[in-house]
Structure formats: C-alpha cells, structure tokens
C-alpha cells in the first residue's frame, strides 16, 4: 500500500471512530424516546402519497425498499414558539447496535434534514406547533433510527424513533395457535413459521439468518435468537416449528380504550368532561382488575392510538389536548405499584403514568395530558424490588386474545457489516 492510500485509510478510520464516539456520547438512546417534556404525540407510520386517512396512523413503521409508500413522522411541540428542528438517520443491526457505515452507503442525500412542514394549532385551548416530516428513501434494507435535535446542536436531542426497511427477498409464511405446552394452553400463543428463499443465496442459514418476532408492535414484547428446526436445503425452505415453548407469548387481554375525538360530548369510555378556561379535563370510567374475569372479545387497536378530531377531521393541528384521568379500583398494597401503559407512552413505567391511591375515593388514579383521539391502554403492576412491569395481575392472560405478530427476517452473510431485513410478515390471531 502506497503512502497516499495509507493516509486515506487512516483518515477514514479516524472519521468513523470519531463519529461513533460522538453518537455514543450525546446521550442518544437506541429506542423510541422523547427527550423534552414539551414533545407530545409522536407518530411514525407508512402511507401512500395523497392518502391522509387517520387509520394510516395504525400502520407499523415498516416500509418496503423502493416502494411507493413513505414513512411519515408527526409530533407536537407544546413550547410557545417555533423551533428549528434537524433530522438525522442512523443504521442499526438486528439487535439495535449502531453500525459503522459510511452515510453514502445507506442514504443518497446529505444526512441532515430541516423540518420545513409545520403548522401552529388552530382554535385549541392548549397551543402547540405540529411538525410533519417524510423519511427520505434509503439505499439498503435494515433497521434504522431517526433522531431530531434543535438548531445546529446535535447534543440538544428532541426525540428518537425506530423504523425498518424491508427488501422482500425471502418469503415468510406462518400461523399463530394455542401453545403446544399443555400447562400454557389457556394463557399463551405460539408462532410457527417457515422461510422460502428460492432464488436468493443463503450459504449458511443457521448462522446467517436472524429472526425477531414482535407482539402488538411492542419492542418490550419480542423473541429472537431462533434457529430453524429443519433446513430443507433442496427446497430452499427453513422450518421454524417448535415444541418447547420457544416462540410462546403471553396472550394478555384485549386492551381497554376510550374515545376523546370530541370534547363537546362524551364518547366511549368517557364519564365526564370538565370545561376549564385554560383547557379540558376528561374523567374516564372507573376500571377494575380483570385477572380473574372470563375472557371477552373487544375490538381494539392492539395497544395503538389514533389522533383525530370528530367535528372537523383535522386532528393534526385542530385536535386539542386534555388532562385525562385514569381510574382503577383495587385494594391498596404497599408492595404493588400500578401504572397505565400503551403505545402513547411506549409502555414505559415512570412517575407520569404511575397511579396514586386516593383514600377519599378509594381509587388509584393519575392524570396524563393527551391529544384528542382513540386510545388503547392497559394497567400493569411493577414490583418495587425487581422493577419489572407485569400485566398478569391486572389484565390476565388468555390464549384466545386477538393479537398481532410481526416476523422480521435479517440476513448477514459472512463478512458483511449489515443485517439486511430481507423478509417481513404480519400475522393476526383470532381477528374478527
């Protein structure tokens, strides 16, 4: 290697080491997260050009490579002025570790976008700026994280959000059924599937293929590190049929829900609306523990939420915010903490969504500021010692519960630096 080539190699190595360190030192998390209290109602979903149906918000943040669909990011800033927000995109592995790729390897444009689509809320008691950004087309398939920062300070983080790009090189076929384990048959669901890769080169499937299964679009409900039970190389088929609960998920229960698309009249789940000079208070009906109740089917969004305005249909900038009061009737216990979770707070348990016991009402309650729409939610407990949230005590587990599963298939050939998403499948169980 001549002196010029050695110099170029040293510069490239130094650049990526410096870049990698800078990302790890900014406090950027490899997850869906809002770093500012003023940032609310973050949505990232797939939609086609010109299609503004609110139901698109229920689509996962997965888009096919070179497709005519785009991923759209929307969020509100409740601070009192416009902010100059920048967007950057980073590549990640199948287990969400930052990849050391040159930006030109995965994106065609300069990787620093300014959000130019924004609107000031109209006729709302709580003012906000509504921001919208379409994710640019990427060159490769895989896992990505977008993050937003203010002005030109990459350390002044605003939010981060995961998304995936699928190349559709491998066919995925699967079913969801009751668990094969007789002790779990009433409470768990099992996923069996196979991959068909005819016409696509996979030299060593057991080491090159990585599988991730996700329940109800939740990153806290995943199974990975699965190896095929049978490799039918002659037919280019990998069989993932298991018998030892390897792909068993707790069935959970149907999500509770409420509808605040209108603040003029009470809709489903709403007991009372208080009209205040500076905002709204929405009191939900009192809920009870469901762990000992018989399973009852209820149509839900599998934990998701949808923003809409019932009177005019323009939820983006005309839906208002209201303090929503959640109420749970349960015996107080100093060893049990109750929380309300859903996609609206990424199922994270913190002080904002912790229920506090009120001796005067004999209820566990909390107030959360939420934008008008339809929301799914569940109550969970969290052991103060182990700090692990659990839905079994509050919601119960039923193998008949309607759930949605996603199967992600990643391929990393020997010597490759990327886990490309080559297959993706959505499976619905017990859908009506």
């Amino acid at each position: 290697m001549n002196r010029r080539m050695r110099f170029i190699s040293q510069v490239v190595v130094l650049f990526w080491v410096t870049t990698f360190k800078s990302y790890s030192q900014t406090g950027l998390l490899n997850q869906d997260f809002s770093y500012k209290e003023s940032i609310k109602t973050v949505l990232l979903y797939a939609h086609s050009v010109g299609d503004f149906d609110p139901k698109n918000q229920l689509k996962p943040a997965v888009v096919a490579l070179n497709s005519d669909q785009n991923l759209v990011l929307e969020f509100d800033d409740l601070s009192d002025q416009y902010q100059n927000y920048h967007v950057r995109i980073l590549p990640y592995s199948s287990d969400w570790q930052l990849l050391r790729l040159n930006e030109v390897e995965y994106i065609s444009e300069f990787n620093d976008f300014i959000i130019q689509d924004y609107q000031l809320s109209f006729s709302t008691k709580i003012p906000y700026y509504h921001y919208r950004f379409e994710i640019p087309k990427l060159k490769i398939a895989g896992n990505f994280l977008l993050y937003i920062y203010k002005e030109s300070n990459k350390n002044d983080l605003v939010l981060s959000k995961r998304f995936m790009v699928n190349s559709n090189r491998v066919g995925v076929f699967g079913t969801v059924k009751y668990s094969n384990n007789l002790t779990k048959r009433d409470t768990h669901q099992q996923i069996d599937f196979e991959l068909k890769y005819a016409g696509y080169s996979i030299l060593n499937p057991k080491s090159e293929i990585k599988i991730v299964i996700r329940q109800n679009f939740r990153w806290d409900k995943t199974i990975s590190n699965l190896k095929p039970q049978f490799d039918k190389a002659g037919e280019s088929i990998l069989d993932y049929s298991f018998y030892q609960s390897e792909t068993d998920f707790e069935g959970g229960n149907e999500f509770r829900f409420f509808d605040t698309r209108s603040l003029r009249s009470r809709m489903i789940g709403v007991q009372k609306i208080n009209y205040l000079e500076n905002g709204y208070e929405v009191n939900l009906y009192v809920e009870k523990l469901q762990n000992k109740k018989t399973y009852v089917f209820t149509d839900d969004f599998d934990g998701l939420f949808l923003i809409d305005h019932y009177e005019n249909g323009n939820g983006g900038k005309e839906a208002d915010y209201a303090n929503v009061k959640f109420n749970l009737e349960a015996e107080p216990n100093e060893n049990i903490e109750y929380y309300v979770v859903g996609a609206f707070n990424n199922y994270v348990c913190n002080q904002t969504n912790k229920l506090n016991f009120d001796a005067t009402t004999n209820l566990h309650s909390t107030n959360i500021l939420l934008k008008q729409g339809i929301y799914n939610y569940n109550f969970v407990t969290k052991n103060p010692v182990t700090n692990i949230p659990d839905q079994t005590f509050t919601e119960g587990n039923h193998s008949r519960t309607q759930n949605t599963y996603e199967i992600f298939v990643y391929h990393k050939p020997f010597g490759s630096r990327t886990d490309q998403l080559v297959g993706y499948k959505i499976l619905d169980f017990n859908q009506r």
Side-chain angles (χ1 to χ4, degrees):
M1 182 184 295
N2 59 40
R3 182 179 301 175
R4 177 179 174 81
M5 291 302 296
R6 282 199 303 270
F7 173 76
I8 293 175
S9 298
Q10 291 170 355
V11 170
V12 171
V13 171
L14 178 62
F15 172 77
W16 285 112
V17 168
T18 304
T19 301
F20 188 81
K21 285 183 177 180
S22 69
Y23 289 137
S24 63
Q25 292 170 357
T26 59
L28 177 65
L29 303 175
N30 62 346
Q31 58 187 265
D32 299 343
F33 195 78
S34 295
Y35 303 84
K36 307 286 186 184
E37 284 293 326
S38 64
I39 301 301
K40 305 291 183 184
T41 320
V42 181
L43 291 163
L44 181 60
Y45 56 91
H47 90 126
S48 300
V49 177
D51 182 4
F52 298 102
D53 190 332
K55 288 186 291 186
N56 287 327
Q57 300 169 32
L58 302 176
K59 296 178 180 178
V62 183
V63 67
L65 190 68
N66 300 320
S67 74
D68 58 355
Q69 281 198 322
N70 295 318
L71 287 172
V72 175
L73 173 72
E74 294 189 57
F75 65 95
D76 296 335
D77 187 346
L78 273 59
S79 62
D80 58 358
Q81 61 182 354
Y82 161 78
Q83 304 290 344
N84 187 22
Y85 286 135
H86 291 245
V87 181
R88 289 178 66 85
I89 298 172
L90 299 176
Y92 281 75
S93 64
S94 60
D95 57 353
W96 293 99
Q97 299 300 310
L98 180 62
L99 298 176
R100 300 188 182 188
L101 297 181
N102 192 312
E103 291 179 346
V104 298
E105 295 182 72
Y106 64 89
I107 191 168
S108 299
E109 305 174 54
F110 181 63
N111 192 15
D112 195 331
F113 305 88
I114 298 177
I115 300 181
Q116 299 177 329
D117 187 351
Y118 61 92
Q119 294 177 307
L120 181 62
S121 62
F122 177 76
S123 190
T124 59
K125 289 191 175 184
I126 296 182
Y128 59 86
Y129 277 90
H130 179 70
Y131 293 84
R132 186 178 185 276
F133 176 74
E134 291 203 8
I135 312 303
K137 299 292 185 181
L138 300 181
K139 292 182 177 180
I140 62 174
N143 289 351
F144 296 90
L145 182 88
L146 67 82
Y147 73 96
I148 297 177
Y149 62 92
K150 287 174 61 175
E151 302 298 338
S152 57
N153 184 2
K154 294 185 178 66
N155 292 324
D156 195 356
L157 297 172
V158 176
L159 67 86
S160 54
K161 195 74 173 173
R162 294 177 172 184
F163 69 94
M164 287 69 67
V165 178
N166 172 32
S167 65
N168 288 315
R169 303 297 300 274
V170 172
V172 186
F173 306 87
T175 58
V176 185
K177 61 183 184 180
Y178 302 147
S179 173
N180 284 333
N181 188 328
L182 293 180
T183 63
K184 297 181 177 181
R185 196 163 182 82
D186 293 331
T187 58
H188 287 65
Q189 297 169 352
Q190 174 179 319
I191 294 85
D192 289 339
F193 62 99
E194 65 179 18
L195 310 181
K196 296 184 179 181
Y197 59 97
Y200 181 67
S201 177
I202 303 177
L203 299 180
N204 191 341
K206 290 191 175 182
S207 63
E208 295 181 10
I209 295 296
K210 299 179 182 180
I211 302 294
V212 175
I213 305 176
R214 185 169 70 160
Q215 183 192 55
N216 292 336
F217 317 105
R218 297 175 58 172
W219 289 113
D220 64 329
K221 296 283 187 181
T222 61
I223 291 176
S224 57
N225 299 321
L226 298 170
K227 301 299 181 183
Q229 293 291 94
F230 305 100
D231 180 2
K232 306 173 185 177
E235 303 175 64
S236 299
I237 295 176
L238 299 177
D239 190 307
Y240 292 81
S241 299
F242 298 98
Y243 304 94
Q244 302 297 324
S245 301
E246 291 93 338
T247 57
D248 278 11
F249 285 84
E250 291 182 340
N253 207 338
E254 307 297 351
F255 283 84
R256 307 170 194 255
F257 66 96
F258 64 90
D259 188 344
T260 56
R261 287 176 297 168
S262 176
L263 292 173
R264 298 179 184 177
S265 59
R266 293 184 294 113
M267 304 186 79
I268 296 176
V270 176
Q271 182 184 43
K272 185 179 181 180
I273 302 174
N274 295 322
Y275 302 92
L276 307 178
E277 183 177 346
N278 60 346
Y280 299 90
E281 288 181 349
V282 174
N283 201 25
L284 302 182
Y285 282 104
V286 175
E287 297 283 345
K288 296 183 179 181
L289 300 177
Q290 297 190 135
N291 60 326
K292 296 181 180 179
K293 292 185 177 181
T294 303
Y295 169 76
V296 177
F297 172 77
T298 304
D299 199 8
D300 64 11
F301 293 157
D302 289 332
L304 302 179
F305 66 98
L306 178 153
I307 300 302
D308 197 9
H309 191 290
Y310 187 78
E311 282 77 24
N312 59 40
N314 190 353
K317 72 170 184 176
E318 296 190 41
D320 214 327
Y321 278 81
N323 272 304
V324 178
K325 187 175 184 179
F326 297 84
N327 303 292
L328 176 66
E329 182 181 312
E331 289 297 322
N333 187 324
E334 62 181 10
N335 296 319
I336 297 178
E337 296 178 347
Y338 293 101
Y339 296 81
V340 57
V341 297
F344 67 90
N345 62 7
N346 297 318
Y347 300 92
V348 174
C349 296
N350 54 38
Q351 290 302 310
T352 302
N353 61 325
K354 179 182 178 181
L355 277 65
N356 300 301
F357 182 71
D358 186 343
T360 59
T361 62
N362 205 34
L363 297 175
H364 300 266
S365 303
T366 190
N367 292 282
I368 301 178
L369 188 66
L370 295 172
K371 197 173 185 179
Q372 285 182 260
I374 304 174
Y375 287 81
N376 280 189
Y377 69 96
N378 270 339
F379 293 111
V380 297
T381 60
K382 190 175 75 168
N383 187 305
V385 178
T386 63
N387 212 36
I388 298 175
D390 180 69
Q391 67 181 9
T392 304
F393 182 71
T394 51
E395 306 295 346
N397 284 304
H398 304 278
S399 57
R400 291 182 292 164
T401 304
Q402 188 278 314
N403 288 309
T404 299
Y405 294 91
E406 297 164 284
I407 301 174
F408 298 88
V409 182
Y410 298 90
H411 183 211
K412 187 177 184 180
F414 178 77
S416 174
R417 292 178 296 138
T418 65
D419 297 338
Q420 294 212 30
L421 181 59
V422 296
Y424 174 69
K425 183 69 173 182
I426 295 180
L427 300 175
D428 289 308
F429 178 73
N430 204 17
Q431 188 176 36
R432 297 172 174 82

